[in-house]
Amino acid sequence: MDEMLLLTRILLVGFICALLVSSGLTCGPGRGIGKRRHPKKLTPLAYKQFIPNVAEKTLGASGRYEGKITRNSERFKELTPNYNPDIIFKDEENTGADRLMTQRCKDKLNALAISVMNQWPGVKLRVTEGWDEDGHHSEESLHYEGRAVDITTSDRDRSKYGMLARLAVEAGFDWVYYESKAHIHCSVKAENSVAAKSGGCFPGSATVHLEQGGTKLVKDLSPGDRVLAADAEGRLLYSDFLAFLDREDGSHRLFYVIETRQPRARLLLTAAHLLFVAPQHNQSQEGTPSSQALFASRVRPGQRVYVLGEGGRQLLPAAVHSVSLQEEASGAYAPLTAQGTILINRVLASCYAVIEEHSWAHWAFAPFRLLQGMLTALCPSGGGAPVGAPATPGIHWYSRLLYRIGSWVLDSDSLHPLGMVVPSS
């Protein structure tokens, strides 16, 4: 069985590579072979503009404040000095404090330094404020955690600052603010924050409908189960459960809570997970031919999602009454069905996350579904488990592979910033 697993993975990776090469030779998206990517047009930020357009210490930006770090605290080891010669540190305190920052902040700052030199030859990035140990900033400032920097250019040409802010966004800072005529403020998520690890999942307390009747907790699904889903036209059907693309038993996650009243439903899912939303002008009461898959973090009250109607025979568009956040410790699970859709707590959702294109994601999993079916046919007693359900918690190896490929093929803004945490190799 181990030899079959190895052979299956080799064939699967080979199939993916063949598909990518063939798509590169056509008009598909991404860095196709023989195609030149046009440079992205950069627009400077306006004075007082911030990106993303939410408060700094919220889930969609740099996340919550986690406490001040002092030289005597246990968390001081989280800070690392930055001695990049391409960055000028003001260090007016002469303590080296401005050079201290989290590893994530350091990585983004170093990337920005390269962009600055490319944008303006002869000009360097300048840091005026980094980690603050003296209490010079407002209460709960991320400067106290080494997660924020204030920056300018070395020539202090204020006409460049709008573009400098845009370059900081492109470098990957989690929140960028054209805060002052004299500097740009940038910050990042905490290394161990809930926000940085939200993934694309449902809580273990969520339920699915089974073909043989009744419901089952999503965390208890196993290969061979057939669960309620819907096709591209919104017709209800039962689809095979194939695998967990992510499974974290008992973990703490921050979930978006989507609630409707007519019909009444309540769904919890993470920020990067896709949820089908009906267009406002569509007055149809059944089917989803015109639906759009949106990240959960983009769903707003007033939009309509698809909920199982009374009697369980059709999907009905239901207006979202409220959207809130809730932290749960019941684990996080991302079930994959052969159809690519699933009804969770009676609400229709995609099985996919990270990229806001359900059809692309479903296409990318076609090799997985094909070989899963082949293995099931060859080894019916195995239930398809060699490719499907991993024996250990965590992100499925196929999802990791696709994420790495997607990070290379797609622009960074095509992937949800909270989509997946893949350890550095």
Side-chain angles (χ1 to χ4, degrees):
M1 187 59 70
D2 289 342
E3 291 78 3
M4 180 174 289
L5 173 58
L6 178 60
L7 178 60
T8 299
R9 292 193 175 184
I10 292 173
L11 289 173
L12 197 51
V13 172
F15 193 11
I16 294 170
C17 293
L19 285 174
L20 289 173
V21 169
S22 63
S23 66
L25 294 171
T26 63
C27 59
R31 297 183 180 127
I33 296 175
K35 292 171 67 73
R36 176 179 296 175
R37 286 177 69 88
H38 298 291
K40 187 175 182 180
K41 182 175 176 59
L42 301 178
T43 305
L45 266 66
Y47 179 55
K48 291 298 181 181
Q49 182 182 1
F50 44 86
I51 294 179
N53 190 28
V54 295
E56 180 180 27
K57 287 172 282 190
T58 58
L59 174 67
S62 293
R64 62 191 179 192
Y65 175 72
E66 298 196 348
K68 186 174 183 179
I69 295 178
T70 67
R71 291 185 184 270
N72 296 323
S73 67
E74 177 68 20
R75 293 179 59 209
F76 184 68
K77 63 184 179 183
E78 296 177 14
L79 305 183
T80 180
N82 191 331
Y83 294 113
N84 189 335
D86 295 323
I87 303 175
I88 297 172
F89 290 88
K90 186 177 179 182
D91 195 21
E92 58 190 352
E93 299 89 356
N94 293 316
T95 62
D98 288 338
R99 292 182 181 273
L100 292 172
M101 58 197 68
T102 63
Q103 185 62 47
R104 182 176 179 83
C105 188
K106 181 178 178 179
D107 292 341
K108 307 307 179 186
L109 198 66
N110 288 344
L112 178 57
I114 296 172
S115 298
V116 168
M117 292 189 294
N118 289 337
Q119 183 74 23
W120 302 292
V123 176
K124 291 186 176 184
L125 178 63
R126 175 172 173 260
V127 175
T128 60
E129 289 286 344
W131 174 56
D132 181 5
E133 60 179 330
D134 299 320
H136 292 159
H137 291 84
S138 60
E139 185 179 0
E140 296 192 354
S141 168
L142 299 186
H143 282 285
Y144 297 135
E145 296 185 63
R147 291 166 52 194
V149 290
D150 293 340
I151 59 174
T152 72
T153 54
S154 59
D155 58 4
R156 307 185 198 184
D157 180 356
R158 296 189 177 188
S159 67
K160 293 185 173 76
Y161 290 0
M163 182 57 73
L164 176 63
R166 172 57 64 182
L167 293 177
V169 173
E170 296 299 312
F173 278 97
D174 297 305
W175 198 70
V176 178
Y177 180 28
Y178 194 163
E179 182 177 32
S180 159
K181 294 287 187 181
H183 70 262
I184 304 299
H185 175 82
C186 310
S187 62
V188 298
K189 301 182 193 304
E191 302 293 318
N192 61 344
S193 68
V194 172
K197 299 180 180 180
S198 62
C201 304
F202 306 101
S205 56
T207 59
V208 296
H209 290 262
L210 300 177
E211 185 175 35
Q212 63 265 35
T215 61
K216 191 174 191 178
L217 293 178
V218 67
K219 67 179 181 179
D220 295 330
L221 285 172
S222 59
D225 286 335
R226 287 175 57 82
V227 299
L228 191 59
D231 64 15
E233 300 302 318
R235 293 185 292 261
L236 293 171
L237 51 80
Y238 287 95
S239 183
D240 291 324
F241 166 73
L242 302 179
F244 284 115
L245 299 182
D246 191 1
R247 191 184 79 208
E248 297 290 346
D249 301 318
S251 67
H252 288 260
R253 290 286 178 94
L254 194 60
F255 295 95
Y256 275 77
V257 183
I258 312 293
E259 295 186 79
T260 67
R261 284 183 172 174
Q262 295 181 343
R264 184 177 295 275
R266 187 173 188 266
L267 175 67
L268 277 70
L269 70 173
T270 48
H273 209 99
L274 295 182
L275 187 62
F276 293 107
V277 173
Q280 292 298 324
H281 67 271
N282 182 9
Q283 299 303 315
S284 171
Q285 288 299 298
E286 56 182 289
T288 62
S290 301
S291 65
Q292 179 184 10
L294 295 182
F295 290 132
S297 59
R298 293 186 56 205
V299 175
R300 298 290 182 266
Q303 291 179 314
R304 298 186 300 165
V305 298
Y306 293 95
V307 178
L308 190 64
E310 294 297 328
R313 295 184 178 182
Q314 65 177 346
L315 292 172
L316 300 176
V320 174
H321 169 65
S322 69
V323 179
S324 58
L325 291 171
Q326 178 176 319
E327 189 170 344
E328 281 213 358
S330 60
Y333 304 84
L336 174 66
T337 67
Q339 191 65 37
T341 63
I342 190 168
L343 268 81
I344 299 280
N345 288 3
R346 300 176 53 247
V347 180
L348 179 64
S350 169
C351 290
Y352 308 118
V354 182
I355 182 171
E356 205 169 35
E357 288 287 349
H358 171 82
S359 59
W360 288 12
H362 195 56
W363 177 88
F365 274 88
F368 180 89
R369 293 193 301 275
L370 176 62
L371 285 178
Q372 181 79 23
M374 291 172 57
L375 275 177
T376 301
L378 292 171
C379 306
S381 61
V387 176
T392 57
I395 300 172
H396 196 284
W397 68 269
Y398 189 88
S399 296
R400 289 181 183 274
L401 175 63
L402 286 183
Y403 183 79
R404 291 189 184 278
I405 293 173
S407 299
W408 175 71
V409 172
L410 302 171
D411 292 325
S412 59
D413 54 5
S414 297
L415 305 176
H416 196 288
L418 308 182
M420 187 181 295
V421 178
V422 177
S424 303
S425 55

